[in-house]
Amino acid sequence: PMARTQLTRMSLIGTALLVLAATGWWAWQTRYAVSGNQGNFIEVRQAHARAKSGDIVLVDVRRPAEWRRSGVPASGHAITMHQDGGRFLAQLLAATGGNKTRSLALICATGGRTTWLQARLRRAGFSNLYNVTEGMMGSRYGAGWLKKGLPVRQWTTGSSSRP
């Protein structure tokens, strides 16, 4: 009986250690692997508050068809990454006042495109990048802009990219 109790106790301890190790790995993955060396991540509410205060420039990089369906963050610019690269960079520079060191937060639908885009923008000289990894629609990092009830503005063809 004593050996069985010890075996059960050791099994429970082993399981608990595995759960803790997995939880630690997940926390690390969520905190650091998303951004890697490419930039930081930011939660949607924080992105909205900082964009409203002028602390960061928030840019929705999705396609115009996506903007029409869901709207654009009320505090953000609508600048699609799905256009000529030179034009895209020129529009980003206009949004940041020509300052590549200005804090720039990127949002897409779920954080996938913005994760990819960060590395390219870093190579183009942008140095203070944030990835809104929840995106507009939500992802494994959070519910997203729309589900959290953050304000959006309607977008139509020809409407301004500025908030």
Side-chain angles (χ1 to χ4, degrees), residues 29-65:
Q29 221 20 38
T30 301
R31 177 84 174 133
Y32 299 105
V34 170
S35 60
N37 267 341
Q38 300 167 18
N40 302 307
F41 69 93
I42 188 169
E43 188 268 337
V44 290
R45 286 187 184 107
Q46 197 178 25
H48 175 59
R50 290 182 66 187
K52 274 181 50 177
S53 75
D55 184 42
I56 63 171
V57 175
L58 175 63
V59 176
D60 185 337
V61 300
R62 298 175 301 147
R63 298 177 193 281

PDB file of all heavy atoms in Angstrom, residues 29-65:
ATOM      1  N   GLN A  29       5.743  31.474 -25.609  1.00  0.00           N
ATOM      2  CA  GLN A  29       5.359  31.492 -27.012  1.00  0.00           C
ATOM      3  C   GLN A  29       4.459  32.690 -27.288  1.00  0.00           C
ATOM      4  O   GLN A  29       4.645  33.410 -28.259  1.00  0.00           O
ATOM      5  CB  GLN A  29       4.594  30.212 -27.288  1.00  0.00           C
ATOM      6  CG  GLN A  29       4.742  29.392 -28.504  1.00  0.00           C
ATOM      7  CD  GLN A  29       5.932  29.484 -29.357  1.00  0.00           C
ATOM      8  OE1 GLN A  29       7.070  29.626 -28.950  1.00  0.00           O
ATOM      9  NE2 GLN A  29       5.691  29.404 -30.618  1.00  0.00           N
ATOM     10  N   THR A  30       3.486  32.901 -26.444  1.00  0.00           N
ATOM     11  CA  THR A  30       2.536  33.998 -26.633  1.00  0.00           C
ATOM     12  C   THR A  30       3.242  35.341 -26.502  1.00  0.00           C
ATOM     13  O   THR A  30       3.002  36.254 -27.265  1.00  0.00           O
ATOM     14  CB  THR A  30       1.402  33.895 -25.597  1.00  0.00           C
ATOM     15  OG1 THR A  30       0.756  32.643 -25.773  1.00  0.00           O
ATOM     16  CG2 THR A  30       0.399  35.010 -25.752  1.00  0.00           C
ATOM     17  N   ARG A  31       4.140  35.456 -25.547  1.00  0.00           N
ATOM     18  CA  ARG A  31       4.794  36.736 -25.278  1.00  0.00           C
ATOM     19  C   ARG A  31       5.898  37.067 -26.273  1.00  0.00           C
ATOM     20  O   ARG A  31       6.026  38.190 -26.724  1.00  0.00           O
ATOM     21  CB  ARG A  31       5.374  36.699 -23.861  1.00  0.00           C
ATOM     22  CG  ARG A  31       6.141  37.914 -23.479  1.00  0.00           C
ATOM     23  CD  ARG A  31       5.220  38.991 -22.968  1.00  0.00           C
ATOM     24  NE  ARG A  31       6.005  40.079 -22.477  1.00  0.00           N
ATOM     25  CZ  ARG A  31       5.769  41.336 -22.767  1.00  0.00           C
ATOM     26  NH1 ARG A  31       4.753  41.659 -23.489  1.00  0.00           N
ATOM     27  NH2 ARG A  31       6.525  42.278 -22.306  1.00  0.00           N
ATOM     28  N   TYR A  32       6.723  36.073 -26.618  1.00  0.00           N
ATOM     29  CA  TYR A  32       7.922  36.374 -27.392  1.00  0.00           C
ATOM     30  C   TYR A  32       7.934  35.817 -28.815  1.00  0.00           C
ATOM     31  O   TYR A  32       8.447  36.453 -29.705  1.00  0.00           O
ATOM     32  CB  TYR A  32       9.159  35.874 -26.655  1.00  0.00           C
ATOM     33  CG  TYR A  32       9.308  36.533 -25.333  1.00  0.00           C
ATOM     34  CD1 TYR A  32       9.021  35.867 -24.156  1.00  0.00           C
ATOM     35  CD2 TYR A  32       9.703  37.861 -25.244  1.00  0.00           C
ATOM     36  CE1 TYR A  32       9.136  36.485 -22.932  1.00  0.00           C
ATOM     37  CE2 TYR A  32       9.823  38.490 -24.019  1.00  0.00           C
ATOM     38  CZ  TYR A  32       9.535  37.796 -22.873  1.00  0.00           C
ATOM     39  OH  TYR A  32       9.643  38.418 -21.665  1.00  0.00           O
ATOM     40  N   ALA A  33       7.384  34.659 -29.033  1.00  0.00           N
ATOM     41  CA  ALA A  33       7.489  34.041 -30.353  1.00  0.00           C
ATOM     42  C   ALA A  33       6.661  34.774 -31.396  1.00  0.00           C
ATOM     43  O   ALA A  33       6.997  34.774 -32.559  1.00  0.00           O
ATOM     44  CB  ALA A  33       7.089  32.580 -30.297  1.00  0.00           C
ATOM     45  N   VAL A  34       5.585  35.411 -30.982  1.00  0.00           N
ATOM     46  CA  VAL A  34       4.753  36.148 -31.926  1.00  0.00           C
ATOM     47  C   VAL A  34       5.555  37.272 -32.547  1.00  0.00           C
ATOM     48  O   VAL A  34       5.555  37.467 -33.741  1.00  0.00           O
ATOM     49  CB  VAL A  34       3.511  36.744 -31.219  1.00  0.00           C
ATOM     50  CG1 VAL A  34       2.783  37.692 -32.136  1.00  0.00           C
ATOM     51  CG2 VAL A  34       2.603  35.643 -30.777  1.00  0.00           C
ATOM     52  N   SER A  35       6.274  38.002 -31.723  1.00  0.00           N
ATOM     53  CA  SER A  35       6.978  39.162 -32.232  1.00  0.00           C
ATOM     54  C   SER A  35       8.395  38.842 -32.667  1.00  0.00           C
ATOM     55  O   SER A  35       8.922  39.495 -33.536  1.00  0.00           O
ATOM     56  CB  SER A  35       7.001  40.257 -31.168  1.00  0.00           C
ATOM     57  OG  SER A  35       7.642  39.793 -30.019  1.00  0.00           O
ATOM     58  N   GLY A  36       9.006  37.850 -32.058  1.00  0.00           N
ATOM     59  CA  GLY A  36      10.381  37.525 -32.398  1.00  0.00           C
ATOM     60  C   GLY A  36      11.237  38.770 -32.333  1.00  0.00           C
ATOM     61  O   GLY A  36      11.101  39.580 -31.442  1.00  0.00           O
ATOM     62  N   ASN A  37      12.100  38.955 -33.305  1.00  0.00           N
ATOM     63  CA  ASN A  37      12.937  40.141 -33.386  1.00  0.00           C
ATOM     64  C   ASN A  37      12.282  41.247 -34.190  1.00  0.00           C
ATOM     65  O   ASN A  37      12.880  42.251 -34.452  1.00  0.00           O
ATOM     66  CB  ASN A  37      14.265  39.783 -34.063  1.00  0.00           C
ATOM     67  CG  ASN A  37      15.303  39.419 -33.066  1.00  0.00           C
ATOM     68  OD1 ASN A  37      15.176  39.746 -31.899  1.00  0.00           O
ATOM     69  ND2 ASN A  37      16.329  38.730 -33.517  1.00  0.00           N
ATOM     70  N   GLN A  38      11.064  41.026 -34.610  1.00  0.00           N
ATOM     71  CA  GLN A  38      10.449  41.926 -35.568  1.00  0.00           C
ATOM     72  C   GLN A  38       9.731  43.096 -34.919  1.00  0.00           C
ATOM     73  O   GLN A  38       9.443  44.071 -35.570  1.00  0.00           O
ATOM     74  CB  GLN A  38       9.480  41.134 -36.434  1.00  0.00           C
ATOM     75  CG  GLN A  38      10.190  40.042 -37.188  1.00  0.00           C
ATOM     76  CD  GLN A  38       9.214  39.073 -37.801  1.00  0.00           C
ATOM     77  OE1 GLN A  38       8.048  39.374 -37.937  1.00  0.00           O
ATOM     78  NE2 GLN A  38       9.689  37.918 -38.156  1.00  0.00           N
ATOM     79  N   GLY A  39       9.384  43.035 -33.684  1.00  0.00           N
ATOM     80  CA  GLY A  39       8.669  44.128 -33.047  1.00  0.00           C
ATOM     81  C   GLY A  39       7.940  43.641 -31.825  1.00  0.00           C
ATOM     82  O   GLY A  39       8.167  42.549 -31.334  1.00  0.00           O
ATOM     83  N   ASN A  40       7.056  44.462 -31.343  1.00  0.00           N
ATOM     84  CA  ASN A  40       6.286  44.141 -30.151  1.00  0.00           C
ATOM     85  C   ASN A  40       4.853  43.834 -30.547  1.00  0.00           C
ATOM     86  O   ASN A  40       4.419  44.174 -31.629  1.00  0.00           O
ATOM     87  CB  ASN A  40       6.293  45.349 -29.214  1.00  0.00           C
ATOM     88  CG  ASN A  40       7.696  45.751 -28.827  1.00  0.00           C
ATOM     89  OD1 ASN A  40       8.462  44.930 -28.366  1.00  0.00           O
ATOM     90  ND2 ASN A  40       8.038  47.004 -29.043  1.00  0.00           N
ATOM     91  N   PHE A  41       4.130  43.226 -29.632  1.00  0.00           N
ATOM     92  CA  PHE A  41       2.712  43.056 -29.892  1.00  0.00           C
ATOM     93  C   PHE A  41       1.938  43.957 -28.950  1.00  0.00           C
ATOM     94  O   PHE A  41       2.447  44.406 -27.936  1.00  0.00           O
ATOM     95  CB  PHE A  41       2.277  41.591 -29.781  1.00  0.00           C
ATOM     96  CG  PHE A  41       2.319  41.043 -28.389  1.00  0.00           C
ATOM     97  CD1 PHE A  41       1.181  41.085 -27.594  1.00  0.00           C
ATOM     98  CD2 PHE A  41       3.472  40.490 -27.871  1.00  0.00           C
ATOM     99  CE1 PHE A  41       1.205  40.586 -26.310  1.00  0.00           C
ATOM    100  CE2 PHE A  41       3.505  39.992 -26.585  1.00  0.00           C
ATOM    101  CZ  PHE A  41       2.374  40.037 -25.801  1.00  0.00           C
ATOM    102  N   ILE A  42       0.687  44.231 -29.323  1.00  0.00           N
ATOM    103  CA  ILE A  42      -0.144  45.126 -28.533  1.00  0.00           C
ATOM    104  C   ILE A  42      -1.591  44.623 -28.608  1.00  0.00           C
ATOM    105  O   ILE A  42      -2.039  44.157 -29.652  1.00  0.00           O
ATOM    106  CB  ILE A  42      -0.003  46.579 -29.046  1.00  0.00           C
ATOM    107  CG1 ILE A  42      -0.695  47.569 -28.124  1.00  0.00           C
ATOM    108  CG2 ILE A  42      -0.470  46.709 -30.475  1.00  0.00           C
ATOM    109  CD1 ILE A  42      -0.360  49.025 -28.449  1.00  0.00           C
ATOM    110  N   GLU A  43      -2.288  44.713 -27.508  1.00  0.00           N
ATOM    111  CA  GLU A  43      -3.678  44.282 -27.406  1.00  0.00           C
ATOM    112  C   GLU A  43      -4.565  45.357 -28.044  1.00  0.00           C
ATOM    113  O   GLU A  43      -4.205  46.523 -28.075  1.00  0.00           O
ATOM    114  CB  GLU A  43      -3.985  44.079 -25.908  1.00  0.00           C
ATOM    115  CG  GLU A  43      -5.315  43.459 -25.593  1.00  0.00           C
ATOM    116  CD  GLU A  43      -6.403  44.493 -25.367  1.00  0.00           C
ATOM    117  OE1 GLU A  43      -6.084  45.655 -25.034  1.00  0.00           O
ATOM    118  OE2 GLU A  43      -7.573  44.132 -25.552  1.00  0.00           O
ATOM    119  N   VAL A  44      -5.732  44.964 -28.561  1.00  0.00           N
ATOM    120  CA  VAL A  44      -6.570  45.895 -29.320  1.00  0.00           C
ATOM    121  C   VAL A  44      -7.003  47.123 -28.523  1.00  0.00           C
ATOM    122  O   VAL A  44      -6.981  48.241 -29.056  1.00  0.00           O
ATOM    123  CB  VAL A  44      -7.801  45.192 -29.949  1.00  0.00           C
ATOM    124  CG1 VAL A  44      -7.393  44.263 -31.068  1.00  0.00           C
ATOM    125  CG2 VAL A  44      -8.642  44.476 -28.925  1.00  0.00           C
ATOM    126  N   ARG A  45      -7.397  46.943 -27.272  1.00  0.00           N
ATOM    127  CA  ARG A  45      -7.836  48.112 -26.476  1.00  0.00           C
ATOM    128  C   ARG A  45      -6.691  49.098 -26.273  1.00  0.00           C
ATOM    129  O   ARG A  45      -6.883  50.310 -26.318  1.00  0.00           O
ATOM    130  CB  ARG A  45      -8.393  47.648 -25.134  1.00  0.00           C
ATOM    131  CG  ARG A  45      -9.751  47.009 -25.239  1.00  0.00           C
ATOM    132  CD  ARG A  45     -10.337  46.727 -23.847  1.00  0.00           C
ATOM    133  NE  ARG A  45     -11.591  46.036 -23.967  1.00  0.00           N
ATOM    134  CZ  ARG A  45     -11.768  44.751 -23.679  1.00  0.00           C
ATOM    135  NH1 ARG A  45     -10.769  44.025 -23.224  1.00  0.00           N
ATOM    136  NH2 ARG A  45     -12.948  44.195 -23.824  1.00  0.00           N
ATOM    137  N   GLN A  46      -5.523  48.553 -26.029  1.00  0.00           N
ATOM    138  CA  GLN A  46      -4.337  49.387 -25.840  1.00  0.00           C
ATOM    139  C   GLN A  46      -3.983  50.110 -27.148  1.00  0.00           C
ATOM    140  O   GLN A  46      -3.650  51.293 -27.135  1.00  0.00           O
ATOM    141  CB  GLN A  46      -3.188  48.487 -25.377  1.00  0.00           C
ATOM    142  CG  GLN A  46      -2.035  49.188 -24.775  1.00  0.00           C
ATOM    143  CD  GLN A  46      -0.980  48.187 -24.315  1.00  0.00           C
ATOM    144  OE1 GLN A  46      -0.876  47.073 -24.814  1.00  0.00           O
ATOM    145  NE2 GLN A  46      -0.189  48.605 -23.357  1.00  0.00           N
ATOM    146  N   ALA A  47      -4.084  49.393 -28.267  1.00  0.00           N
ATOM    147  CA  ALA A  47      -3.795  50.006 -29.564  1.00  0.00           C
ATOM    148  C   ALA A  47      -4.752  51.169 -29.825  1.00  0.00           C
ATOM    149  O   ALA A  47      -4.335  52.246 -30.268  1.00  0.00           O
ATOM    150  CB  ALA A  47      -3.901  48.964 -30.676  1.00  0.00           C
ATOM    151  N   HIS A  48      -6.019  50.965 -29.539  1.00  0.00           N
ATOM    152  CA  HIS A  48      -7.019  52.015 -29.755  1.00  0.00           C
ATOM    153  C   HIS A  48      -6.733  53.235 -28.860  1.00  0.00           C
ATOM    154  O   HIS A  48      -6.717  54.375 -29.338  1.00  0.00           O
ATOM    155  CB  HIS A  48      -8.418  51.466 -29.493  1.00  0.00           C
ATOM    156  CG  HIS A  48      -9.495  52.490 -29.578  1.00  0.00           C
ATOM    157  ND1 HIS A  48      -9.731  53.239 -30.717  1.00  0.00           N
ATOM    158  CD2 HIS A  48     -10.396  52.921 -28.656  1.00  0.00           C
ATOM    159  CE1 HIS A  48     -10.736  54.065 -30.496  1.00  0.00           C
ATOM    160  NE2 HIS A  48     -11.152  53.897 -29.251  1.00  0.00           N
ATOM    161  N   ALA A  49      -6.499  52.990 -27.583  1.00  0.00           N
ATOM    162  CA  ALA A  49      -6.247  54.095 -26.644  1.00  0.00           C
ATOM    163  C   ALA A  49      -4.998  54.882 -27.046  1.00  0.00           C
ATOM    164  O   ALA A  49      -5.009  56.120 -27.042  1.00  0.00           O
ATOM    165  CB  ALA A  49      -6.105  53.555 -25.222  1.00  0.00           C
ATOM    166  N   ARG A  50      -3.948  54.178 -27.410  1.00  0.00           N
ATOM    167  CA  ARG A  50      -2.699  54.855 -27.778  1.00  0.00           C
ATOM    168  C   ARG A  50      -2.824  55.587 -29.105  1.00  0.00           C
ATOM    169  O   ARG A  50      -2.232  56.651 -29.287  1.00  0.00           O
ATOM    170  CB  ARG A  50      -1.540  53.868 -27.790  1.00  0.00           C
ATOM    171  CG  ARG A  50      -1.178  53.404 -26.372  1.00  0.00           C
ATOM    172  CD  ARG A  50      -0.006  52.461 -26.344  1.00  0.00           C
ATOM    173  NE  ARG A  50       1.204  53.151 -26.782  1.00  0.00           N
ATOM    174  CZ  ARG A  50       2.360  52.537 -26.994  1.00  0.00           C
ATOM    175  NH1 ARG A  50       2.478  51.238 -26.779  1.00  0.00           N
ATOM    176  NH2 ARG A  50       3.407  53.214 -27.409  1.00  0.00           N
ATOM    177  N   ALA A  51      -3.616  55.036 -30.018  1.00  0.00           N
ATOM    178  CA  ALA A  51      -3.833  55.722 -31.299  1.00  0.00           C
ATOM    179  C   ALA A  51      -4.669  56.984 -31.083  1.00  0.00           C
ATOM    180  O   ALA A  51      -4.379  58.033 -31.671  1.00  0.00           O
ATOM    181  CB  ALA A  51      -4.507  54.779 -32.296  1.00  0.00           C
ATOM    182  N   LYS A  52      -5.695  56.896 -30.241  1.00  0.00           N
ATOM    183  CA  LYS A  52      -6.527  58.069 -29.944  1.00  0.00           C
ATOM    184  C   LYS A  52      -5.712  59.183 -29.307  1.00  0.00           C
ATOM    185  O   LYS A  52      -5.931  60.360 -29.576  1.00  0.00           O
ATOM    186  CB  LYS A  52      -7.675  57.681 -29.012  1.00  0.00           C
ATOM    187  CG  LYS A  52      -8.880  57.146 -29.738  1.00  0.00           C
ATOM    188  CD  LYS A  52     -10.010  56.784 -28.820  1.00  0.00           C
ATOM    189  CE  LYS A  52     -10.373  57.860 -27.848  1.00  0.00           C
ATOM    190  NZ  LYS A  52     -11.513  57.556 -26.988  1.00  0.00           N
ATOM    191  N   SER A  53      -4.762  58.806 -28.442  1.00  0.00           N
ATOM    192  CA  SER A  53      -3.951  59.818 -27.754  1.00  0.00           C
ATOM    193  C   SER A  53      -2.830  60.359 -28.641  1.00  0.00           C
ATOM    194  O   SER A  53      -2.151  61.313 -28.264  1.00  0.00           O
ATOM    195  CB  SER A  53      -3.352  59.228 -26.474  1.00  0.00           C
ATOM    196  OG  SER A  53      -2.283  58.346 -26.787  1.00  0.00           O
ATOM    197  N   GLY A  54      -2.606  59.733 -29.800  1.00  0.00           N
ATOM    198  CA  GLY A  54      -1.534  60.174 -30.689  1.00  0.00           C
ATOM    199  C   GLY A  54      -0.191  59.552 -30.378  1.00  0.00           C
ATOM    200  O   GLY A  54       0.814  59.896 -30.992  1.00  0.00           O
ATOM    201  N   ASP A  55      -0.167  58.624 -29.437  1.00  0.00           N
ATOM    202  CA  ASP A  55       1.071  57.966 -29.037  1.00  0.00           C
ATOM    203  C   ASP A  55       1.583  57.002 -30.110  1.00  0.00           C
ATOM    204  O   ASP A  55       2.787  56.802 -30.237  1.00  0.00           O
ATOM    205  CB  ASP A  55       0.843  57.218 -27.712  1.00  0.00           C
ATOM    206  CG  ASP A  55       2.098  56.583 -27.167  1.00  0.00           C
ATOM    207  OD1 ASP A  55       3.167  57.231 -27.224  1.00  0.00           O
ATOM    208  OD2 ASP A  55       2.011  55.438 -26.689  1.00  0.00           O
ATOM    209  N   ILE A  56       0.665  56.395 -30.870  1.00  0.00           N
ATOM    210  CA  ILE A  56       1.054  55.514 -31.974  1.00  0.00           C
ATOM    211  C   ILE A  56       0.178  55.823 -33.187  1.00  0.00           C
ATOM    212  O   ILE A  56      -0.879  56.435 -33.071  1.00  0.00           O
ATOM    213  CB  ILE A  56       0.917  54.003 -31.637  1.00  0.00           C
ATOM    214  CG1 ILE A  56      -0.543  53.639 -31.357  1.00  0.00           C
ATOM    215  CG2 ILE A  56       1.822  53.566 -30.522  1.00  0.00           C
ATOM    216  CD1 ILE A  56      -0.779  52.152 -31.245  1.00  0.00           C
ATOM    217  N   VAL A  57       0.647  55.381 -34.335  1.00  0.00           N
ATOM    218  CA  VAL A  57      -0.136  55.447 -35.565  1.00  0.00           C
ATOM    219  C   VAL A  57      -0.634  54.032 -35.810  1.00  0.00           C
ATOM    220  O   VAL A  57       0.151  53.100 -35.928  1.00  0.00           O
ATOM    221  CB  VAL A  57       0.723  55.931 -36.752  1.00  0.00           C
ATOM    222  CG1 VAL A  57      -0.069  55.866 -38.048  1.00  0.00           C
ATOM    223  CG2 VAL A  57       1.249  57.336 -36.489  1.00  0.00           C
ATOM    224  N   LEU A  58      -1.945  53.862 -35.845  1.00  0.00           N
ATOM    225  CA  LEU A  58      -2.568  52.562 -36.077  1.00  0.00           C
ATOM    226  C   LEU A  58      -2.946  52.465 -37.551  1.00  0.00           C
ATOM    227  O   LEU A  58      -3.591  53.374 -38.086  1.00  0.00           O
ATOM    228  CB  LEU A  58      -3.815  52.408 -35.206  1.00  0.00           C
ATOM    229  CG  LEU A  58      -4.654  51.143 -35.402  1.00  0.00           C
ATOM    230  CD1 LEU A  58      -3.859  49.888 -35.045  1.00  0.00           C
ATOM    231  CD2 LEU A  58      -5.923  51.238 -34.568  1.00  0.00           C
ATOM    232  N   VAL A  59      -2.532  51.368 -38.207  1.00  0.00           N
ATOM    233  CA  VAL A  59      -2.807  51.195 -39.627  1.00  0.00           C
ATOM    234  C   VAL A  59      -3.448  49.838 -39.871  1.00  0.00           C
ATOM    235  O   VAL A  59      -2.888  48.799 -39.514  1.00  0.00           O
ATOM    236  CB  VAL A  59      -1.511  51.313 -40.470  1.00  0.00           C
ATOM    237  CG1 VAL A  59      -1.789  51.039 -41.948  1.00  0.00           C
ATOM    238  CG2 VAL A  59      -0.883  52.692 -40.295  1.00  0.00           C
ATOM    239  N   ASP A  60      -4.628  49.866 -40.482  1.00  0.00           N
ATOM    240  CA  ASP A  60      -5.328  48.656 -40.905  1.00  0.00           C
ATOM    241  C   ASP A  60      -4.830  48.336 -42.312  1.00  0.00           C
ATOM    242  O   ASP A  60      -5.048  49.103 -43.244  1.00  0.00           O
ATOM    243  CB  ASP A  60      -6.836  48.906 -40.906  1.00  0.00           C
ATOM    244  CG  ASP A  60      -7.657  47.661 -41.208  1.00  0.00           C
ATOM    245  OD1 ASP A  60      -7.135  46.712 -41.839  1.00  0.00           O
ATOM    246  OD2 ASP A  60      -8.835  47.642 -40.828  1.00  0.00           O
ATOM    247  N   VAL A  61      -4.146  47.194 -42.456  1.00  0.00           N
ATOM    248  CA  VAL A  61      -3.496  46.847 -43.722  1.00  0.00           C
ATOM    249  C   VAL A  61      -4.304  45.870 -44.575  1.00  0.00           C
ATOM    250  O   VAL A  61      -3.817  45.378 -45.586  1.00  0.00           O
ATOM    251  CB  VAL A  61      -2.073  46.280 -43.479  1.00  0.00           C
ATOM    252  CG1 VAL A  61      -1.199  47.297 -42.769  1.00  0.00           C
ATOM    253  CG2 VAL A  61      -2.122  44.965 -42.709  1.00  0.00           C
ATOM    254  N   ARG A  62      -5.548  45.603 -44.180  1.00  0.00           N
ATOM    255  CA  ARG A  62      -6.366  44.640 -44.921  1.00  0.00           C
ATOM    256  C   ARG A  62      -6.772  45.177 -46.295  1.00  0.00           C
ATOM    257  O   ARG A  62      -6.430  46.281 -46.674  1.00  0.00           O
ATOM    258  CB  ARG A  62      -7.615  44.287 -44.101  1.00  0.00           C
ATOM    259  CG  ARG A  62      -7.309  43.630 -42.784  1.00  0.00           C
ATOM    260  CD  ARG A  62      -8.549  43.393 -41.940  1.00  0.00           C
ATOM    261  NE  ARG A  62      -9.230  44.640 -41.659  1.00  0.00           N
ATOM    262  CZ  ARG A  62     -10.540  44.781 -41.520  1.00  0.00           C
ATOM    263  NH1 ARG A  62     -11.342  43.738 -41.652  1.00  0.00           N
ATOM    264  NH2 ARG A  62     -11.072  45.959 -41.258  1.00  0.00           N
ATOM    265  N   ARG A  63      -7.529  44.390 -47.003  1.00  0.00           N
ATOM    266  CA  ARG A  63      -8.029  44.756 -48.332  1.00  0.00           C
ATOM    267  C   ARG A  63      -9.271  45.661 -48.214  1.00  0.00           C
ATOM    268  O   ARG A  63     -10.030  45.538 -47.262  1.00  0.00           O
ATOM    269  CB  ARG A  63      -8.433  43.503 -49.102  1.00  0.00           C
ATOM    270  CG  ARG A  63      -7.313  42.538 -49.373  1.00  0.00           C
ATOM    271  CD  ARG A  63      -7.867  41.293 -50.085  1.00  0.00           C
ATOM    272  NE  ARG A  63      -6.917  40.214 -50.109  1.00  0.00           N
ATOM    273  CZ  ARG A  63      -5.895  40.109 -50.940  1.00  0.00           C
ATOM    274  NH1 ARG A  63      -5.694  41.043 -51.837  1.00  0.00           N
ATOM    275  NH2 ARG A  63      -5.077  39.084 -50.892  1.00  0.00           N
ATOM    276  N   PRO A  64      -9.493  46.506 -49.235  1.00  0.00           N
ATOM    277  CA  PRO A  64     -10.694  47.347 -49.229  1.00  0.00           C
ATOM    278  C   PRO A  64     -11.993  46.551 -49.063  1.00  0.00           C
ATOM    279  O   PRO A  64     -12.906  47.011 -48.367  1.00  0.00           O
ATOM    280  CB  PRO A  64     -10.629  48.064 -50.590  1.00  0.00           C
ATOM    281  CG  PRO A  64      -9.147  48.168 -50.851  1.00  0.00           C
ATOM    282  CD  PRO A  64      -8.580  46.872 -50.327  1.00  0.00           C
ATOM    283  N   ALA A  65     -12.081  45.377 -49.647  1.00  0.00           N
ATOM    284  CA  ALA A  65     -13.304  44.563 -49.491  1.00  0.00           C
ATOM    285  C   ALA A  65     -13.527  44.204 -48.024  1.00  0.00           C
ATOM    286  O   ALA A  65     -14.670  44.167 -47.551  1.00  0.00           O
ATOM    287  CB  ALA A  65     -13.211  43.298 -50.335  1.00  0.00           C
TER     288      ALA A  65
END
